[in-house]
Amino acid sequence: MADARSPDSGDDGGPPARRLARRLAELRWVLFGLALLLVLFSLSGLLVPGGAFLAFAAIAAIILFAPRAPDSARPAAMEIQKPVWPETGVKLFAEALPDPCFVLDRRGVVRYVNRRAAAAFPIRPGEPFAVRLRVPELVAAFERVAKGGAPERIEFAERVPTERWFAAWFAGLDARGGEDFVILLLDDLSEQKRIDRVRVDFVANASHELRTPLASLAGFIETLQGPARDDATARSRFLSIMHDQAMRMSRLIDDLLSLSRIELKVHVKPSDPIDLVSVIQHLTDALEPLARELGVAIESALPVAPVIVPGDRDELIQVFENLIENAIKYGQSGKRVVVTIEATETDAPAVSVRDFGPGISEEHLPRLTERFYRVDVEASRQHRGTGLGLAIVKHILARHSARLAVESTPGEGARFTVTFPQARFDATPPAVEKSEENQPLRVS
């Protein structure tokens, strides 16, 4: 922190007259000794009496009328310091900090608030900080520090209007001769706490999802090794169930690995030109057998011209495969799934997947893309879901700078719409280069 000395202090600088006065003050006693020598030389006859008198008078005038040395010329230990207040070093110190900072006096009254604190908290200078931050642990920590205690760090939460977590750091500030202060720094831990909670929930959910099929496998193996050792019918049935459980674990591990790979490259934006029309046509053809098995008809409304977006083809196939497959399975009672691509020269391309099944209640919509979140757990397991499909969709779309919107009314089905704001509509069919084997090499 900057010193709180007067702006006029310092050994160098200042106006020329002040510097001259300082030098004359430093030579005061040298000039006095020179005047005595002139008097002695005049009395001994070595100098003309008139010239000696004039020199003596000039030196005496300098000694008598030269200003005294300013206070800044005194030793630093004897300086008279101005009282410190946040118009000098404390204020600059608070504004330089990257976190919200409050300067408190020893009574707990706010004396200064930096810009970041003023934007985040409705606390103003002149108010006791405890009026706004009514946390007993904070008040107790402040009182200990204000009485000369060591710096303290306290974590606390605010529940209204939304849950937010903060870390408060109190430290005393010695003003070197002036008034002493206590610095209060606040660090927002809300995002860190949210990530920690997601991580804990993820580990717990993943462990649960793996433990269930593992327990089933272990139980059937023990049965096959014991009572059902020679029962061919039971052995065949148990082996079929064990196969299903093993496949369930395999799908879960595949989804976990896929999610991990996407998160690692979420900041690397894909740029390959991908035709959405081609992707959707491929998926409707590939999912037709599943839809026919469940008694669902897939209808599509696609432009004739290609709709080009920058992206990764495999990842976009994964996105729309998840959405269309979910619509077929969970909207099975509606008997129809409609896939539409809308694109114009002015609007961003959008792909919507609409089913006519039972729909989704409003309270579930904000959490659909959370990992392992299921609206209907039994239905999800019946359809071999892992609870990670929409989480993967969300992360892939984030990498593509795309948006997912969900609309649903219970009893009327649901619509999932993917929009690509940064994409362009291209009515010109892409040129396809082919190799000598007549295989496509790239789309440009």
Side-chain angles (χ1 to χ4, degrees):
M1 188 187 70
D3 287 342
R5 289 178 293 187
S6 167
D8 295 338
S9 65
D11 294 334
D12 298 321
R18 183 176 297 166
R19 292 200 298 270
L20 176 60
R22 186 182 300 118
R23 300 305 299 171
L24 290 175
E26 292 171 353
L27 296 174
R28 183 185 302 273
W29 295 107
V30 175
L31 295 174
F32 182 73
L34 180 58
L36 288 178
L37 288 177
L38 290 175
V39 172
L40 292 176
F41 288 159
S42 176
L43 293 176
S44 62
L46 296 177
L47 292 175
V48 178
F53 176 77
L54 292 175
F56 177 80
I59 292 173
I62 292 173
I63 294 173
L64 291 174
F65 298 106
R68 295 184 177 274
D71 289 341
S72 59
R74 300 177 186 177
M78 298 178 63
E79 290 182 352
I80 301 177
Q81 298 179 345
K82 294 171 62 178
V84 177
W85 174 231
E87 290 302 328
T88 54
V90 177
K91 178 178 178 180
L92 297 176
F93 164 77
E95 290 296 345
L97 293 173
D99 297 315
C101 174
F102 301 88
V103 181
L104 315 174
D105 62 21
R106 297 287 171 170
R107 300 169 299 162
V109 176
V110 178
R111 301 290 295 277
Y112 185 74
V113 180
N114 71 358
R115 289 190 299 272
R116 294 171 182 83
F121 299 93
I123 305 177
R124 299 293 176 261
E127 300 176 347
F129 85 95
V131 172
R132 172 65 178 84
L133 301 175
R134 299 179 180 179
V135 182
E137 294 82 0
L138 286 184
V139 177
F142 165 77
E143 291 176 350
R144 290 190 294 268
V145 174
K147 292 177 181 178
E152 293 195 28
R153 183 179 185 273
I154 303 292
E155 290 190 9
F156 67 98
E158 283 193 340
R159 309 296 180 184
V160 179
T162 58
E163 185 179 57
R164 297 176 66 191
W165 284 88
F166 297 94
W169 188 77
F170 291 100
L173 183 64
D174 184 2
R176 298 178 60 187
E179 184 179 357
D180 292 339
F181 304 108
V182 174
I183 298 297
L184 168 59
L185 297 180
L186 292 177
D187 185 17
D188 193 339
L189 303 179
S190 303
E191 183 65 16
Q192 178 182 331
K193 291 288 185 181
R194 187 192 68 80
I195 293 173
D196 290 343
R197 185 178 300 169
V198 168
R199 184 183 298 113
V200 170
D201 291 345
F202 173 74
V203 172
N205 287 325
S207 301
H208 173 75
E209 292 293 332
L210 288 171
R211 186 183 295 114
T212 302
L214 279 174
S216 177
L217 286 172
F220 284 123
I221 290 173
E222 290 178 2
T223 304
L224 290 172
Q225 290 175 335
R229 181 190 303 270
D230 299 322
D231 189 337
T233 303
R235 183 167 60 248
S236 176
R237 182 167 62 88
F238 290 165
L239 287 174
S240 175
I241 297 173
M242 291 169 64
H243 178 267
D244 290 341
Q245 295 297 327
M247 294 304 296
R248 175 182 170 186
M249 284 194 298
S250 177
R251 289 193 300 271
L252 178 60
I253 292 171
D254 287 343
D255 282 351
L256 288 172
L257 291 174
S258 178
L259 191 58
S260 178
R261 285 192 296 268
I262 295 166
E263 288 179 331
L264 286 175
K265 55 183 181 179
V266 67
H267 300 296
V268 180
K269 303 301 180 184
S271 57
D272 293 340
I274 307 300
D275 179 14
L276 290 178
V277 176
S278 172
V279 168
I280 298 302
Q281 286 176 337
H282 166 74
L283 287 173
T284 53
D285 292 341
L287 293 172
E288 179 62 32
L290 173 65
R292 188 166 53 250
E293 178 184 342
L294 297 177
V296 177
I298 301 178
E299 304 172 9
S300 58
L302 310 179
V304 176
V307 177
I308 307 299
V309 298
D312 180 299
R313 182 177 176 83
D314 291 338
E315 290 186 358
L316 291 180
I317 286 177
Q318 193 172 6
V319 165
F320 295 113
E321 182 179 20
N322 262 298
L323 296 180
I324 298 173
E325 187 173 341
N326 283 350
I328 294 172
K329 291 178 178 179
Y330 300 110
Q332 178 182 0
S333 60
K335 304 298 182 181
R336 294 171 58 212
V337 170
V338 179
V339 184
T340 306
I341 297 180
E342 297 179 357
T344 66
E345 295 182 0
T346 56
D347 297 330
V351 181
S352 67
V353 180
R354 171 86 159 89
D355 70 71
F356 299 86
I360 305 169
S361 299
E362 185 178 358
E363 65 268 19
H364 296 295
L365 296 181
R367 302 190 60 187
L368 285 179
T369 57
E370 291 182 14
R371 302 172 186 183
F372 297 110
Y373 186 80
R374 295 178 172 96
V375 175
D376 186 334
V377 176
E378 291 303 321
S380 176
R381 289 180 176 171
Q382 179 183 350
H383 292 298
R384 301 179 179 180
T386 63
L388 294 174
L390 290 179
I392 292 173
V393 167
K394 179 184 72 172
H395 283 79
I396 291 177
L397 294 182
R399 182 170 179 251
H400 285 71
S401 300
R403 297 194 301 262
L404 175 66
V406 184
E407 305 169 66
S408 180
T409 301
E412 299 181 10
R415 181 194 302 272
F416 288 75
T417 303
V418 177
T419 307
F420 296 85
Q422 298 183 0
R424 61 184 176 84
F425 173 74
D426 190 351
T428 305
V432 178
E433 295 184 5
K434 297 184 180 180
S435 65
E436 293 180 358
E437 291 78 10
N438 202 34
Q439 296 296 323
L441 291 179
R442 67 180 179 86
V443 179
S444 59

